[in-house]
Amino acid sequence: MKKKAALHNLGCKVNAYEVEAMQQLLEKAGYEIVPFEPGADVYLINTCTVTNIADRKSRQMLHKAKKMNPDAIVVATGCYVQTDEGKLDKDEAVDLILGNNQKKQIVEVLEEYERQHKKQKHVIKINQTKEYEELEISHTAEHVRAYIKVQDGCNQFCTYCIIPYARGRVRSRKISQVIEEVQALAVRGYKEVVLTGIHLSSYGLDFPEEERETLLSLIQAVHEVQGIQRIRLGSLEPRIITEEFARTISALPKMCPHFHLSLQSGCDATLERMNRRYTSTEYAEKCTLLRKYFDNPALTTDVIVGFPMETEEEFRMSRDFVDSIHFYETHIFKYSRRHGTKAAAMDGQLTESKKAIRSDEMLALNEKHSREYEESMLGRELEILLEEEIEMNGEQWYLGHSKEYIKAVLKKQPQYGINDIVRVTADGFLENHIVTVHTS
């Protein structure tokens, strides 16, 4: 009888990649992968710790797994495991504790547990390792787009963020390993890859001087892989956008004009309290550079509202700055106090009601900017990667995304299929934030 394993991911795209890599290791070892429902022999939860709420959700999922099958092996892995300060050691719902940089051992530690039937913990001092954990995928749950993890760790220590403590220092994956994985995915028909990491802009900083590679050299190498037609980047720090970087990637036809530049606040005083290491003026210059080299690129960002000591004037400055940039999408987060970070101990913690008011104002601004950007694309030629078939308003459509990551629908036609890239013209809206397109 094949053992049945169910996996559940919490958190970011890096976590999602690691779950898929662990799933494929289990498949190779003979496990049957089943839905996260009663009946599995092994439940693996890849946890998140970015906020206190993420911690709570991680614990809830672990307990839910044990309730679904009290005889199953429940495996806790990921970032909450790395920072939980021993609570899971006493948690009877958890049988196996597997920290970051230990996930490649999933099959071996399960075999060891089967032999001993004794609670086990495999957690290293993540801040002391320089080793990049080599995980890889041969396919992904998304059938047309593959997220590729190329970097781990962060050296930034923003005052609100626990991630450097959960993920350790910057560690980069060798370009040769990345290319090998991308080539294998291209052979399987994947046309778009998304390069992702915990702090993607730091890629290569940990390599010895004589082996120094950068995110730019990585992008150029991936661009050479036959079969891959689109390259997208995960979240970037503004400082990586130099004249050379913007000019060089703009000359690469496969590069998607879609850039997520992390902002967090448009107020310099707040940025300083966050330890963000750039000013709003410098950030605006980076957006101008991208718009100089790309025609109407989609710029997206993250903004935290209600950071400790954020005054009404500081919030207004942040809001006005966001308004001036005209992002395609702004992801709004109400500041969440995270135990173990400098910001958690700061004076001037704001009430949840005040954060909610500011969040609502930013969300309304985001809605306005998103619509304006999508309307600016009407009448333009777009390139759509067809991802799935859907039925809306009684009609059959292909749903996909443009290189700018605009969601678009094309009426189903026999000459096209899933994973095709089609040149189209945007002509209207099927519903909010779904653009209709037609072929010429």
Side-chain angles (χ1 to χ4, degrees):
M1 283 284 289
K2 272 189 171 186
K3 287 274 173 101
K4 296 177 179 178
L7 298 88
H8 183 81
N9 183 59
L10 293 156
C12 63
K13 293 294 185 186
V14 169
N15 259 19
Y17 173 92
E18 291 170 348
V19 159
E20 291 194 322
M22 285 187 284
Q23 176 176 316
Q24 287 168 38
L25 287 169
L26 290 167
E27 286 171 335
K28 280 182 193 170
Y31 285 80
E32 179 189 350
I33 305 303
V34 296
F36 200 82
E37 295 168 359
D41 303 300
V42 174
Y43 291 95
L44 185 150
I45 294 91
N46 198 20
T47 62
C48 177
T49 193
V50 72
T51 63
N52 291 340
I53 295 166
D55 281 359
R56 188 168 72 242
K57 284 183 180 174
S58 296
R59 290 190 296 270
Q60 286 170 346
M61 290 309 298
L62 291 163
H63 291 168
K64 179 181 177 181
K66 190 53 96 174
K67 278 179 188 167
M68 286 196 290
N69 182 2
D71 296 324
I73 303 169
V74 175
V75 184
T77 186
C79 293
Y80 174 61
V81 167
Q82 201 67 48
T83 60
D84 92 306
E85 299 170 342
K87 297 186 198 76
L88 289 176
D89 296 5
K90 307 177 189 77
D91 194 327
E92 293 183 3
V94 180
D95 302 300
L96 259 176
I97 301 170
L98 200 61
N100 286 330
N101 257 49
Q102 302 290 289
K103 294 172 182 174
K104 197 169 185 178
Q105 300 178 51
I106 182 60
V107 173
E108 290 80 4
V109 297
L110 278 169
E111 288 172 353
E112 192 179 335
Y113 181 85
E114 294 270 22
R115 286 193 299 271
Q116 298 183 8
H117 285 281
K118 193 171 84 177
K119 186 161 185 165
Q120 293 182 24
K121 183 175 183 178
H122 300 262
V123 179
I124 63 168
K125 291 184 176 177
I126 198 72
N127 288 320
Q128 295 178 13
T129 187
K130 294 182 179 177
E131 180 191 351
Y132 179 87
E133 183 180 30
E134 274 299 338
L135 291 165
E136 60 185 35
I137 58 170
S138 60
H139 56 277
T140 174
E142 280 203 50
H143 299 298
V144 299
R145 176 181 299 108
Y147 288 82
I148 310 291
K149 179 186 168 188
V150 301
Q151 179 277 336
D152 207 337
C154 181
N155 299 346
Q156 298 301 296
F157 290 94
C158 298
T159 57
Y160 52 81
C161 186
I162 199 71
I163 295 307
Y165 305 96
R167 284 281 179 173
R169 301 291 75 74
V170 166
R171 305 181 302 287
S172 306
R173 190 177 184 188
K174 286 189 166 56
I175 285 184
S176 59
Q177 299 279 358
V178 176
I179 297 306
E180 201 174 296
E181 183 171 12
V182 173
Q183 286 171 336
L185 288 160
V187 167
R188 292 186 75 122
Y190 290 91
K191 292 181 178 174
E192 180 177 312
V193 292
V194 187
L195 304 181
T196 188
I198 296 298
H199 194 258
L200 186 61
S201 302
S202 293
Y203 178 85
L205 290 182
D206 55 313
F207 290 151
E209 197 61 49
E210 64 275 12
E211 298 172 22
R212 183 58 55 89
E213 298 285 0
T214 63
L215 181 59
L216 184 55
S217 58
L218 173 65
I219 294 165
Q220 289 170 313
V222 173
H223 195 272
E224 296 301 309
V225 177
Q226 289 191 346
I228 296 300
Q229 296 184 39
R230 307 216 293 202
I231 301 169
R232 209 176 288 281
L233 301 176
S235 180
L236 298 172
E237 284 290 317
R239 286 171 299 170
I240 200 168
I241 309 298
T242 61
E243 187 96 29
E244 181 200 6
F245 185 89
R247 183 179 62 247
T248 304
I249 61 172
S250 70
L252 303 175
K254 298 177 183 180
M255 196 70 220
C256 290
H258 168 219
F259 302 100
H260 187 89
L261 288 191
S262 188
L263 173 63
Q264 307 308 354
S265 177
C267 167
D268 289 347
T270 308
L271 287 171
E272 191 172 344
R273 288 199 301 280
M274 291 177 168
N275 193 33
R276 288 296 291 169
R277 309 183 195 192
Y278 53 80
T279 65
S280 57
T281 301
E282 288 167 333
Y283 186 99
E285 287 167 358
K286 306 305 184 179
C287 296
T288 301
L289 263 179
L290 288 170
R291 285 171 170 153
K292 173 182 173 182
Y293 286 101
F294 290 89
D295 178 26
N296 202 22
L299 303 184
T300 66
T301 198
D302 302 313
V303 170
I304 295 171
V305 297
F307 191 72
M309 295 185 275
E310 183 184 64
T311 64
E312 199 61 48
E313 183 187 358
E314 287 175 342
F315 168 69
R316 192 66 44 208
M317 288 171 72
S318 187
R319 184 208 171 280
D320 291 349
F321 180 80
V322 169
D323 196 20
S324 72
I325 299 293
H326 286 272
F327 294 102
Y328 171 35
E329 285 184 333
T330 307
H331 304 285
I332 313 299
F333 299 91
K334 290 177 278 192
Y335 170 72
S336 177
R337 202 169 187 171
R338 180 60 180 81
H339 171 69
T341 62
K342 284 189 176 181
M346 286 181 179
D347 294 332
Q349 302 285 333
L350 276 67
T351 63
E352 290 305 314
S353 59
K354 186 159 280 189
K355 292 178 204 173
I357 291 167
R358 292 178 182 180
S359 174
D360 289 346
E361 194 171 333
M362 280 289 203
L363 286 167
L365 187 61
N366 170 59
E367 184 63 30
K368 172 176 170 280
H369 286 162
S370 293
R371 183 72 179 198
E372 285 173 354
Y373 183 77
E374 288 158 358
E375 286 174 347
S376 77
M377 287 298 187
L378 298 183
R380 285 180 175 243
E381 186 178 77
L382 300 176
E383 183 188 277
I384 305 296
L385 175 60
L386 305 181
E387 297 165 37
E388 60 177 311
E389 292 181 31
I390 62 167
E391 183 180 328
M392 290 186 79
N393 302 342
E395 294 187 279
Q396 299 293 320
W397 304 82
Y398 286 119
L399 175 70
H401 285 85
S402 73
K403 289 181 87 170
E404 298 80 8
Y405 213 64
I406 291 172
K407 193 178 282 188
V409 287
L410 171 70
K411 276 192 181 169
K412 191 174 176 186
Q413 299 166 39
Q415 67 268 43
Y416 301 123
I418 302 302
N419 207 29
D420 283 347
I421 292 179
V422 187
R423 289 201 169 276
V424 295
T425 302
D427 55 21
F429 292 89
L430 182 65
E431 60 176 47
N432 204 22
H433 304 307
I434 299 183
V435 173
T436 55
V437 298
H438 67 268
T439 52
S440 45

